[in-house]
Amino acid sequence: QVQVAEFGGGLVRVGESLRLSCTASGLTFEDYAMGWFRQRPGQERETISCISWSGTHKFIAQSVRERVTISRDNAKKTLYLEMNNLEPEDTAMYYCGAAEHYQTGYRCLYGDTYWGQGTQVTVSS
């Protein structure tokens, strides 16, 4: 059984930084492309960033490109998302996805995809 779990959300202040983590079990982590997505209240889920299985290829959405870093540690079977200079507009539920395939672009994960339950990030002003 595949399980994907996100960690590290919480309440932060404007301008602060945050690092989210994601683990995936029940699959061979290093064989899967991974990505971060978020859903703001009343809006559709949007892509933040994705990374290929090896970490060689990365996609970051234009809207957050200057403030976001995605990375993975296959030895620890963990995906990371570092967000800097947080804004109230970053308030959202953040989801991690694990997928069979990666492609550059907004729809950066495709194939069978597994999702976590999400971790809430709230940015207060």
Side-chain angles (χ1 to χ4, degrees), residues 12-17 85-89 122-125:
V12 297
R13 294 183 178 181
V14 169
E16 292 185 339
S17 299
N85 194 23
L86 285 161
E87 305 168 350
E89 292 73 24
T122 302
V123 184
S124 68
S125 55

Side-chain angles (χ1 to χ4, degrees), residues 82-110:
E82 295 189 34
M83 299 186 66
N84 301 312
N85 194 23
L86 285 161
E87 305 168 350
E89 292 73 24
D90 295 316
T91 295
M93 185 71 78
Y94 284 72
Y95 296 92
C96 171
E100 292 181 304
H101 304 292
Y102 166 92
Q103 62 182 2
T104 299
Y106 194 74
R107 300 187 189 282
C108 42
L109 299 184
Y110 69 100

Side-chain angles (χ1 to χ4, degrees), residues 4 15 25 30-31 33-34 39 41 53-54 60 64 75 78 80 83 86 91 98 100 102 104-105 112 117:
V4 179
S25 60
E30 56 267 33
D31 287 347
M34 304 291 294
Q39 188 165 16
W53 63 271
S54 66
I60 303 176
V64 295
T78 304
Y80 302 100
M83 299 186 66
L86 285 161
T91 295
E100 292 181 304
Y102 166 92
T104 299
D112 287 343
Q117 294 297 309

Side-chain angles (χ1 to χ4, degrees), residues 8-123:
L11 177 63
V12 297
R13 294 183 178 181
V14 169
E16 292 185 339
S17 299
L18 194 67
R19 186 172 83 159
L20 303 179
S21 302
C22 169
T23 61
S25 60
L27 50 76
T28 304
F29 183 85
E30 56 267 33
D31 287 347
Y32 279 75
M34 304 291 294
W36 287 101
F37 304 78
R38 71 183 179 188
Q39 188 165 16
R40 291 181 269 197
Q43 299 188 24
E44 294 185 354
R45 187 175 297 188
E46 60 178 310
T47 302
I48 299 173
S49 184
C50 296
I51 188 168
S52 62
W53 63 271
S54 66
T56 302
H57 303 289
K58 301 176 184 179
F59 169 79
I60 303 176
Q62 181 67 38
S63 61
V64 295
R65 184 161 295 170
E66 300 299 321
R67 304 187 292 117
V68 161
T69 302
I70 189 170
S71 61
R72 64 189 296 163
D73 186 332
N74 285 345
K76 295 182 178 180
K77 302 184 186 302
T78 304
L79 173 74
Y80 302 100
L81 181 74
E82 295 189 34
M83 299 186 66
N84 301 312
N85 194 23
L86 285 161
E87 305 168 350
E89 292 73 24
D90 295 316
T91 295
M93 185 71 78
Y94 284 72
Y95 296 92
C96 171
E100 292 181 304
H101 304 292
Y102 166 92
Q103 62 182 2
T104 299
Y106 194 74
R107 300 187 189 282
C108 42
L109 299 184
Y110 69 100
D112 287 343
T113 304
Y114 303 95
W115 298 98
Q117 294 297 309
T119 185
Q120 177 68 38
V121 173
T122 302
V123 184

